[in-house]
Amino acid sequence: MTTEEEKTRPTAAGARRAIAGRLSWGLADQAASSIGNFLVGMYVARSLGLAAFGAFTLVWVTYGVVLNVSRGLASDPLVVRFSGVPDASWRAATARASGTALGVGAVIGVVSMAAGLSLGGRLGGAFVGLAIVLPGLLLQDAWRFAFFAAGAGRKAFVNDVVWGVALVPALVMAAKAGSVAGFVLAWGGSAAVAAGYGCFQSGIRPRPALARAWLREQRDLGYRYLVENVSLSGASQLRAYGLGAIAGVGAVGAVRGAELLLGPFLAVLMGVSLVTVPEAARVLRQAPHRLGRFCGLLSGALAAFALLWGGALLLVPDWAGEHLLGQVWDSATRLIVPISLGVSAVSFGVGAAAGLRALAAAKRSLRCQLFASACYVGGGLAGAAAAGAVGSAWGVAAANACGSAVWWLQLRAALRERHHNSVPEVRTS
């Protein structure tokens, strides 16, 4: 064995351990976050019934859009440009990015407050509650991204655990109150506790006054990420609102209930997604001819896992399902097959999306995301008009399959283009 070979083996082994470590903390953090989300959904479904659960879901998907606005403007540029930088640079950037997240929460909170007051009733009260808790929710999420940028995934995991611990007594009190708004306040209030703990963990005070400067500095990335992020979450919101208008709020609750059953797999999917782009970039840098194979194996494994999980859900006895979701179980169980197929189709596109990001093919990536979002809304609403919640679930499954096909076509085109041009463009985060 040569000296060079002796040096290479420990380096390769160390790289594998590093990948495993990053993946482990990503999975652990997402598991902690998803357990909290599942706990909230289960409590609302069991405590309030199908119609109230549908109202809570409309607030939930609205939060999803706002969260992606915050990530696009604040968190994503932070991760891209300030991962692995000197501590002083990371701290200064984190103060501005977290301040931006707070500002987004405050501004959109005002809009949510106005909408809630104008709507009135149970749904209006829920949106008023969302307005109150948005700043804390967005700040807590910003800390997660900041810690991963610093290579401190353990801190992100601990922060989500703190949220989960604070959530338990809050949900107990909300169940006694028996209102959708109470559950929204319990969920967001416990996030504010974790957000405050994040300030303690990092030793950083968010600087909302510097949000405008941050947006100006990151405008070349932030606004593009904003469009990419919001297109999918906005499509989810439009589908939920449209389904509620076409088939009733109960149909929205049924779809959300089925999605909750897939929660453990979705936690794995999101945890893996935290590290797919950096790992694809490393493959591109070290062995570019293997990027397509890496993306294919990643997508195939995730899609197969989604199908296995969906198959396992079909074996769950009714008594167990009713214990988890109460009245929502009967409606949700009818949607397991189409929603599992839809999630599997989305999973098959994850590897292609990671490959496009690693290749820095931003125009192709944005094109794919916009197409997939349009298909999602169109398929979901056309299906709802044809057959209610079940039709909407099948429409989304077909739309997701079309979207994943486009992701792969664009990745193949980008790989051919790179081969012809022989100009490496690698994104490392």
Side-chain angles (χ1 to χ4, degrees):
M1 181 184 297
T2 65
T3 302
E4 183 177 350
E5 289 173 337
E6 291 173 349
K7 291 180 179 179
T8 301
R9 287 195 174 183
T11 301
R16 286 193 294 269
R17 286 195 296 269
I19 292 173
R22 290 189 294 269
L23 180 60
S24 297
W25 282 121
L27 289 172
D29 174 68
Q30 191 58 54
S33 176
S34 297
I35 288 171
N37 292 340
F38 179 79
L39 187 63
V40 172
M42 184 184 71
Y43 250 78
V44 177
R46 285 173 56 84
S47 301
L48 301 182
L50 189 60
F53 187 56
F56 182 84
T57 299
L58 293 178
V59 171
W60 186 279
V61 296
T62 302
Y63 160 70
V65 176
V66 179
L67 180 64
N68 279 297
V69 171
S70 177
R71 288 178 175 177
L73 296 177
S75 303
D76 287 342
L78 176 69
V79 171
V80 169
R81 287 193 165 141
F82 296 93
S83 293
V85 300
D87 185 65
S89 179
W90 172 80
R91 293 177 68 83
T94 298
R96 299 196 299 276
S98 58
T100 301
L102 270 177
V104 170
V107 170
I108 301 183
V110 171
V111 177
S112 180
M113 179 69 73
L117 293 175
S118 64
L119 285 171
R122 178 166 52 191
L123 184 58
F127 275 98
V128 169
L130 179 65
I132 295 170
V133 300
L134 263 180
L137 283 164
L138 299 187
L139 179 58
Q140 192 276 336
D141 187 74
W143 288 133
R144 294 177 65 204
F145 278 75
F147 291 140
F148 276 109
R154 179 181 60 84
K155 289 186 177 181
F157 168 72
V158 171
N159 194 272
D160 271 323
V161 170
V162 169
W163 184 3
V165 171
L167 183 62
V168 173
L171 286 178
V172 172
M173 290 187 289
K176 292 180 179 179
S179 69
V180 179
F183 277 101
V184 172
L185 291 173
W187 163 57
S190 54
V193 173
Y197 183 65
C199 297
F200 172 78
Q201 285 177 291
S202 63
I204 296 172
R205 181 169 60 88
R207 301 291 297 277
L210 298 180
R212 182 175 296 179
W214 172 263
L215 294 174
R216 185 170 57 251
E217 294 166 6
Q218 310 301 327
R219 62 181 178 274
D220 59 325
L221 292 181
Y223 296 115
R224 175 162 56 82
Y225 289 152
L226 174 65
V227 175
E228 286 191 28
N229 290 354
V230 171
S231 63
L232 183 57
S233 58
S236 177
Q237 186 178 28
L238 287 174
R239 184 256 185 134
Y241 287 165
L243 178 60
I246 294 170
V249 176
V252 180
V255 170
R256 177 58 184 161
E259 291 173 346
L260 279 175
L261 296 174
L262 282 156
F265 169 75
L266 294 175
V268 172
L269 180 62
M270 288 184 283
V272 169
S273 297
L274 290 171
V275 296
T276 51
V277 176
E279 297 310 321
R282 289 184 180 91
V283 172
L284 179 62
R285 183 168 55 247
Q286 297 167 6
H289 61 285
R290 295 180 179 173
L291 179 61
R293 182 170 181 269
F294 168 82
C295 295
L297 289 173
L298 174 64
S299 289
L302 290 173
F305 189 12
L307 291 177
L308 288 173
W309 186 265
L313 289 176
L314 295 175
L315 303 178
V316 175
D318 287 339
W319 65 264
E322 290 170 359
H323 180 72
L324 286 174
L325 298 180
Q327 299 175 15
V328 177
W329 167 255
D330 185 56
S331 299
T333 189
R334 302 171 190 171
L335 307 180
I336 289 175
V337 171
I339 287 184
S340 297
L341 291 174
V343 170
S344 180
V346 166
S347 301
F348 193 68
V350 168
L356 285 176
R357 282 290 184 98
L359 289 164
K363 290 183 179 179
R364 293 184 184 276
S365 177
L366 180 58
R367 193 180 306 148
C368 290
Q369 190 64 75
L370 292 176
F371 176 81
S373 297
C375 286
Y376 181 90
V377 174
L381 296 187
V390 175
S392 182
W394 280 110
V396 165
N400 288 344
C402 293
S404 289
V406 170
W407 278 108
W408 275 103
L409 289 172
Q410 289 295 319
L411 177 61
R412 290 185 61 185
L415 289 171
R416 286 196 301 268
E417 183 179 291
R418 184 183 185 277
H419 176 72
H420 292 322
N421 296 335
S422 297
V423 178
E425 292 183 325
V426 181
R427 185 179 224 163
T428 57
S429 29

